[in-house]
Amino acid sequence: MQRFLVGLHRASAHSNRIGKLSTAIGGCIQELFPCPDKVITALDVGCGDMTVAETISSDNPTIQWACTDIHELPPHLHGTEKWKKYRKFDGSKLPFDNASFDVVLFSDVLHHCLPASSDLLREAGRVARFVVVKDHFEKGLFSRATLRLLDFIGNYGYGVSVPECYFDELSFQASADAAGLRIMKMIDHLPIYPFPLSMVLPQTLQFLAVLERAAHENV
Ligand SMILES: C[S@@+](CC[C@H](N)C(=O)[O-])C[C@H]1O[C@@H](n2cnc3c(N)ncnc32)[C@H](O)[C@@H]1O
């Protein structure tokens, strides 16, 4: 069953999703640092196989990634060039000093961490001034069920749990407030679903937000 779901996910949506997400996220990060030569240090939290981070870097070579997730690295990957930038963490406390990075990314991660998402956001704001979040907005019970089905296809095969519910605009704002972060930019219509899914799934189920540590927050 798990192998079937991984195959279905890869064949249907995976590469389309990675390409569109990487372009949108890379663009948001570059906008934060208009000087074209600046090296931007970025941390991808919940990086999965790191494809999003690596695709962003291949289009934006000045963005340099460290990556972290909750999984132990399999022994055969230890010491390989690709996985040198990966570090496991416990899912709550990021193992990095204050202000170690320019930006932290959560790409389709925070809904797996509800209701503790504001704690992770606060951690992100501790290690970087800017936080980029790609996630989903549910718009009612039907969209919640749809998102859960898509999460099942996209994640269950990789051993990632399917959440009970998702953010809506109010709960995301509340999480950001509780984390001491200000939402600077919100793109609440992200055209990611490929045809024919795009005919039935509203692109408003996806959002991309840029947050900044609030001025009064000290790290
Ligand atoms: C849908 S995958 C996203 C992977 C990758 N970011 C991407 O966009 O392709 C969700 C990821 O969140 C990670 N995750 C789950 N709980 C987490 C937590 N508490 N902290 C960080 N990552 C977590 C999972 O291990 C998984 O890699």
Side-chain angles (χ1 to χ4, degrees):
M1 177 63 165
Q2 287 194 320
R3 229 184 282 158
F4 170 74
L5 286 171
V6 170
L8 179 62
H9 178 232
R10 284 187 188 272
S12 58
H14 187 60
S15 51
N16 173 73
R17 170 185 172 273
I18 296 289
K20 290 190 170 159
L21 271 191
S22 304
T23 302
I25 294 169
C28 275
I29 294 176
Q30 288 289 5
E31 266 176 33
L32 291 170
F33 304 96
C35 173
D37 299 331
K38 176 184 161 42
V39 171
I40 301 166
T41 57
L43 174 67
D44 184 0
V45 180
C47 59
D49 63 5
M50 305 192 301
T51 310
V52 169
E54 296 200 321
T55 308
I56 293 172
S57 274
S58 66
D59 295 340
N60 306 271
T62 54
I63 304 179
Q64 293 185 356
W65 291 97
C67 294
T68 189
D69 206 309
I70 54 177
H71 304 291
E72 200 70 65
L73 202 58
H76 68 280
L77 296 179
H78 279 278
T80 56
E81 193 54 38
K82 170 177 165 133
W83 287 94
K84 268 185 193 158
K85 58 184 172 295
Y86 178 82
R87 190 158 163 190
K88 175 185 182 286
F89 88 116
D90 66 4
S92 54
K93 171 94 179 131
L94 292 170
F96 302 97
D97 292 338
N98 295 356
S100 306
F101 299 96
D102 293 314
V103 57
V104 166
L105 169 67
F106 293 99
S107 168
D108 282 336
V109 171
L110 283 183
H111 61 266
H112 294 287
C113 312
L114 289 167
S117 55
S118 59
D119 297 335
L120 256 184
L121 279 172
R122 178 170 285 282
E123 265 296 276
R126 178 183 68 74
V127 301
R129 173 173 163 202
F130 296 107
V131 182
V132 174
V133 177
K134 154 66 187 66
D135 218 287
H136 304 296
F137 278 146
E138 62 175 36
K139 311 271 178 184
L141 289 183
F142 178 71
S143 60
R144 178 185 294 179
T146 307
L147 287 169
R148 292 194 78 214
L149 175 64
L150 293 175
D151 248 332
F152 178 72
I153 295 171
N155 288 307
Y156 190 77
Y158 299 93
V160 180
S161 65
V162 177
E164 292 293 321
C165 63
Y166 296 83
F167 289 115
D168 57 22
E169 282 89 342
L170 282 179
S171 63
F172 184 66
Q173 178 71 61
S175 283
D177 290 345
L181 298 174
R182 177 179 74 85
I183 301 175
M184 299 168 61
K185 177 173 181 168
M186 170 60 77
I187 301 170
D188 57 4
H189 180 279
L190 207 54
I192 282 180
Y193 296 125
F195 182 83
L197 273 184
S198 56
M199 302 297 284
V200 282
L201 296 176
Q203 309 283 10
T204 52
L205 296 183
Q206 314 274 344
F207 74 86
L208 181 60
V210 181
L211 297 85
E212 182 180 21
R213 193 190 308 130
H216 57 271
E217 290 286 327
N218 294 318
V219 291

